[in-house]
Amino acid sequence: MIKVLKPGLATSVQDLGREGYYHLGIPPSGALDQYALSAANQLVGNPPGAAGLECTLLGPELEFQCDTLAAVCGAHMTARLDGVEMHHDTAFAVKAGQVLRFDFPNDGARTYLAVAGGIDVPLVLGSRSTYTLGALGGFQGRRLMADDQLPIGIPGGKGRAGASLPMALRQSLGGEVYLRVVPGLYYERLTEFAATSFFSESWSVGSEADRIGYRFKGGRALTFQPREQPFGAGSDPSNIVDSCYPIGSIQVPAGLEPIVLHRDAVSGGGYAMIGTVISADLDLIGQMQPNQKARFVAVTLEEALEARKSYKKKLACLSKLFPS
């Protein structure tokens, strides 16, 4: 068991998500940085999709009630075990009674804690991920609270203290982020000037940035070409007749500030989607802090598929180094 002494800002149980229910309005949820969770899991001998803790900006304080093996990957939120700093991206042994605390992140927004055996909460629709809006999955369908007792699964026995990610497989976080975008079905609705400025200007993450979506500010307002709104659409030029939203899609309510939908987003609505951030870059968004700079870069579908192939190749390298 792990006892939660302090829950942190927004700590939740996440795995790699529940696929196959988005058409029913249930988003995939899961770690916003899938690579970081996969890496932490494999360092401790778990399968990549085992459930761990996603710790956002302010980490929790946890008391371990059994001996185990743990690893922290993702945002550089220094972990201290009984006050002793633990190496990032490296598995370390924990003894019963020891307390793990986290500093504020130097860069990145979310760190992932994996323990050997995983966090053993019940499966809901095939996943242990928390979807807080639906009170679904995770630990009682919510973020962690003080005095929660988290069960740990049976370890596979293949992890070892000191196992560490090679430098080539470690994440580089912070600084200006370049997010690749496939222009979408409604991109042509923008005026020529707005379509150009969206990709040419620098944006920054707004304060409204969470598991549902990230709002970006700082660029010029995006204007839509005038038209007679179709039946069923709202009066604002950014409104459309309700449509499905893919994860990563970009909507611009009233043309003011782009919002990139993430893994807890609703599955549809009435805003035009001017593009979609490619799947290989969604982890980057999950690690962005408020006010961090970003630029959107237009890519083709072929380039997006090639990027996805490279991302999967990197995940495969983890599995080869640390077979579970």
Side-chain angles (χ1 to χ4, degrees), residues 13 121-122 130 135-145 148-149:
V13 177
V121 294
T130 310
L136 190 71
F139 187 84
Q140 300 180 7
R142 58 169 171 78
R143 296 172 178 173
L144 299 188
M145 298 171 60
D148 285 344
Q149 298 273 353

Side-chain angles (χ1 to χ4, degrees), residues 29-85:
S29 300
L32 290 200
D33 185 343
Q34 303 257 299
Y35 180 84
L37 176 62
S38 298
N41 268 322
Q42 290 177 90
L43 284 171
V44 298
N46 292 340
L53 296 184
E54 179 179 86
C55 313
T56 305
L57 293 177
L58 175 63
E61 185 174 315
L62 307 168
E63 181 182 79
F64 289 80
Q65 299 181 341
C66 61
D67 295 354
T68 189
L69 188 66
V72 173
C73 295
H76 293 101
M77 192 183 295
T78 302
R80 300 183 187 276
L81 188 64
D82 284 350
V84 179
E85 181 177 340

Side-chain angles (χ1 to χ4, degrees), residues 201-281:
E201 295 195 350
S202 178
W203 301 85
S204 59
V205 176
S207 57
E208 303 94 337
D210 56 24
R211 293 185 49 82
I212 298 170
Y214 267 57
R215 184 185 293 269
F216 289 83
K217 61 183 182 180
R220 279 174 281 195
L222 302 176
T223 53
F224 288 82
Q225 298 181 32
R227 69 165 182 174
E228 182 180 346
Q229 291 293 87
F231 177 78
S235 59
D236 190 275
S238 65
N239 290 148
I240 58 172
V241 178
D242 281 8
S243 182
C244 299
Y245 292 155
I247 300 298
S249 61
I250 305 168
Q251 53 184 234
V252 193
L256 298 178
E257 295 173 334
I259 299 172
V260 180
L261 300 184
H262 222 300
R263 298 187 66 86
D264 277 1
V266 296
S267 57
Y271 287 113
M273 296 152 285
I274 62 172
T276 302
V277 174
I278 68 173
S279 60
D281 286 355

